[in-house]
Amino acid sequence: SSPFSARSLSTPILSILRAMGLRPGVAAAVLAWLVGAVAVEEDLVNIYFGAGCFWHVQHEFIKAEQNFLKREGEELTAITGYAGGSKLNSKGMACYNDYTGLGHTEVVEVVIPRSAVSDFAAVFWKLFVGKDRVDTMDRGPAYRAALGLPGGISSPLFALIKAAQEGNVAQPFTMTAGAGDDPDTLGQALVWVYDTTAFPFHQAELYHQFHDDFLPGGDYPNSYNVDIRQQVLAACLRAKATGCMSDEGAPCTPDNDFRSLGGSGMGAMDGGVTTTTVKASNAASLATRTSFPFASCILSWCLIAKWAF
């Protein structure tokens, strides 16, 4: 399911189908096929951003999705998580109680069109005041400034994100390839850049999604941490129970989500540090999509349906 909800496209497409003379039942069938089989033509990309506590960062990127992409409810993709470490726990995860020891930092991942990368990068750079992130209370490697994108500093998107500093930061930031388990960046105009193939995103527990923040203004309205939270979690698309201890009994937990990993006793899943290198898989990724000529698809199926019926 695309983060660009089919609902936002259904009404105009259905109007076109009916205007072409298709009977209502046929038009509905064609629309259902289009919605189920066609991704938005523009490529989407998964990028994660880190700048201190992820509660505040998530709120800022949810607002960005609403403002720039006009997304709402289950269309929203900004999710908190952990990344940038070289290790996972014994169950192949990172959890709140062990991510620091595993070398990870708090981040927020979004799934956005490539054409919107500069806009979202500007939001990221506005999370800094002088050399420091807005959140200076949280200190240590677990809160370092981080950016994760496919290819890391070799990505064609890297130059766009770097250029977005102009007009949004007090001084240029150095953007250095992260090696994993990197130190804090507080007091330095520095951002660690990670290749998401080597350092993938690991979703945080549901407790940490759409949470109030401790910074000024962080007592967010119910429309954010109640309404949007319920809509996103109910969809079971971008955020599911992780299998970490605090997610036991949480919604979106069919057997293949976490219980098959260790039965009902979730406590053992959070410990046991291993030296397993973080693998380049993100099963929840929404970025792997096939671009499809949308207009051609509509036209072709309309003609077929009109001829057939």
Side-chain angles (χ1 to χ4, degrees), residues 5-306:
S5 173
R7 290 196 302 271
S8 63
L9 299 173
S10 296
T11 299
I13 293 174
L14 190 58
S15 298
I16 293 171
L17 296 175
R18 288 175 176 171
M20 294 184 68
L22 296 180
R23 294 197 301 271
V26 176
V30 174
L31 176 63
W33 185 91
L34 290 170
V35 167
V38 181
V40 174
E41 183 171 1
E42 187 171 17
D43 287 341
L44 300 176
V45 60
N46 288 46
I47 301 177
Y48 60 72
F49 301 92
C53 177
F54 49 21
W55 293 343
H56 173 69
V57 177
Q58 182 182 31
H59 182 258
E60 296 307 297
F61 280 106
I62 287 291
K63 289 196 304 182
E65 289 191 83
Q66 292 172 321
N67 293 336
F68 297 131
L69 304 178
K70 308 307 177 186
R71 293 176 178 171
E72 291 296 340
E74 67 184 50
E75 301 169 326
L76 297 163
T77 67
I79 295 296
T80 62
Y82 315 108
S86 63
K87 297 180 289 292
L88 297 174
N89 62 30
S90 60
K91 295 298 181 179
M93 302 182 298
C95 299
Y96 188 71
N97 70 310
D98 61 21
Y99 80 95
T100 301
L102 298 170
H104 297 280
T105 186
E106 295 189 5
V107 297
V108 169
E109 185 190 57
V110 293
V111 186
I112 57 176
R114 291 176 184 269
S115 62
V117 167
S118 292
D119 290 330
F120 280 74
V123 173
F124 173 61
W125 293 119
K126 290 176 182 177
L127 295 173
F128 298 89
V129 177
K131 294 181 179 180
D132 293 326
R133 54 188 178 259
V134 173
D135 172 22
T136 57
M137 295 175 59
D138 290 307
R139 296 169 178 250
Y143 303 101
R144 61 189 183 268
L147 166 69
L149 63 162
I153 61 174
S154 299
S155 169
L157 301 175
F158 176 77
L160 293 175
I161 297 173
K162 184 176 182 180
Q165 293 186 55
E166 185 173 355
N168 292 308
V169 294
Q171 73 288 299
F173 275 65
T174 300
M175 302 177 70
T176 301
D181 313 335
D182 300 290
D184 196 3
T185 55
L186 196 64
Q188 306 173 71
L190 170 66
V191 173
W192 296 114
V193 182
Y194 298 99
D195 181 348
T196 53
T197 300
F199 300 98
F201 172 81
H202 302 278
Q203 183 209 304
E205 297 86 333
L206 298 182
Y207 171 82
H208 292 294
Q209 309 299 336
F210 307 99
H211 199 290
D212 278 337
D213 187 36
F214 57 83
L215 292 174
D219 185 12
Y220 303 130
N222 287 345
S223 60
Y224 174 75
N225 52 33
V226 175
D227 297 342
I228 291 178
R229 185 178 194 274
Q230 290 178 347
Q231 290 164 356
V232 172
L233 298 190
C236 296
L237 296 174
R238 279 292 288 159
K240 298 183 181 182
T242 59
C244 296
M245 185 164 45
S246 65
D247 272 352
E248 184 176 5
C252 299
T253 55
D255 289 344
N256 63 353
D257 274 345
F258 71 85
R259 289 178 183 149
S260 62
L261 296 176
S264 59
M266 307 314 311
M269 300 188 66
D270 297 328
V273 176
T274 69
T275 57
T276 304
T277 301
V278 175
K279 295 183 179 180
S281 63
N282 181 2
S285 172
L286 298 177
T288 306
R289 299 185 182 277
T290 304
S291 180
F292 200 99
F294 197 50
S296 298
C297 176
I298 293 176
L299 179 60
S300 298
W301 274 91
C302 285
L303 292 175
I304 292 171
K306 189 172 180 64

